Amino acid sequence: MGANNGSDALRGGEGDDKIFGRGGDDILRGGSGDDELYGGEGSDIFLWNKADIGQNQDNSINYDNIITDTVWDLSSEDTLDLSDLLVGISPDNLGTVLDIFVDDQNSDVTLKLNLDNDSDIEQSIVLKGAMTDSGIEINTLLDGNEVKLAVSSDGSTSIKQDGQNDILLEIHQD
C-alpha cells in the first residue's frame, strides 16, 4: 500500500502489510499483523492502537498475540505515537512496560512493550538501522505528552521531556 507525495493517512489490514508513505507528512498505522512501515520524506507519524493487537469475542484486548512491526526509515522529524497503547502510562513509569534493545551488529533499536504486566511482550517495534555512532533520539507521544526516547552510544537510555528531569531507563544489548 502506498501514498501519494502529499500528506496521507494509511492503515494496513489484518494481515502482514507493507506500507509506504513516500513524500509528505504521513500517518502510518500497520493494523494487526506483522507490518513493515516506510515513512519516506516528510515528518511522519507511526501510529499504534491497542485494538490492532487483537480482540476477544467480548471486545476485550487479546494480549496473547505478539505483533512485530518494523519501521525502515525513521528520521529525526518522525514520531512514534504510542499513546493508545500506553493509556495511563506516564513517562515516569514507562520502564514498567517498555524494554529497549540495541543490536550493535546492524544498528537496530527494538522497543518491546508488555502491555498487561505479565512476562510476555505483546508489541515489538523494530527501528531498522536507526542507531548511529552518536545515538538516537526518538520523538514519541505518550499519554498526550511529547517526549524523546534517547538511546546513547554508551548504552544509556533516558526519556527527555521539556522542562523536566531526564528519566533513565534500562537498555539491553543484543
Side-chain angles (χ1 to χ4, degrees), residues 143-164:
D143 203 25
N145 297 304
E146 290 185 27
V147 299
K148 289 188 184 290
L149 290 177
V151 182
S152 71
S153 57
D154 69 4
S156 63
T157 303
S158 63
I159 300 172
K160 298 180 177 190
Q161 204 173 0
D162 287 341
Q164 305 285 326

Side-chain angles (χ1 to χ4, degrees), residues 20-140:
F20 298 88
R22 297 192 176 93
D25 299 341
D26 303 309
I27 299 172
L28 294 89
R29 177 179 168 194
S32 59
D34 298 333
D35 304 305
E36 297 185 40
L37 308 172
Y38 301 80
E41 295 186 24
S43 298
D44 301 310
I45 297 173
F46 298 94
L47 175 68
W48 283 268
N49 282 20
K50 238 182 211 181
D52 295 336
I53 293 172
Q55 293 182 323
N56 297 313
Q57 288 183 339
D58 65 358
N59 290 329
S60 64
I61 300 299
N62 178 356
Y63 288 111
D64 292 333
N65 291 336
I66 300 172
I67 304 291
T68 300
D69 293 326
T70 303
V71 176
W72 283 90
D73 60 349
L74 187 74
S75 75
S76 61
E77 292 85 32
D78 295 337
T79 299
L80 303 183
D81 187 345
L82 306 176
S83 296
D84 191 67
L85 287 180
L86 302 174
V87 171
I89 303 295
S90 70
D92 290 333
N93 59 10
L94 183 61
T96 64
V97 296
L98 172 69
D99 283 319
I100 299 174
F101 294 82
V102 175
D103 183 337
D104 290 329
Q105 189 171 21
N106 57 19
S107 303
D108 295 347
V109 175
T110 302
L111 310 178
K112 294 187 177 186
L113 294 140
N114 176 352
L115 303 172
D116 62 348
N117 295 320
D118 63 5
S119 60
D120 299 323
I121 300 299
E122 286 79 37
Q123 176 72 58
S124 182
I125 301 169
V126 180
L127 308 174
K128 293 298 280 185
M131 190 66 171
T132 67
D133 289 340
S134 59
I136 181 174
E137 284 194 353
I138 305 164
N139 300 317
T140 310

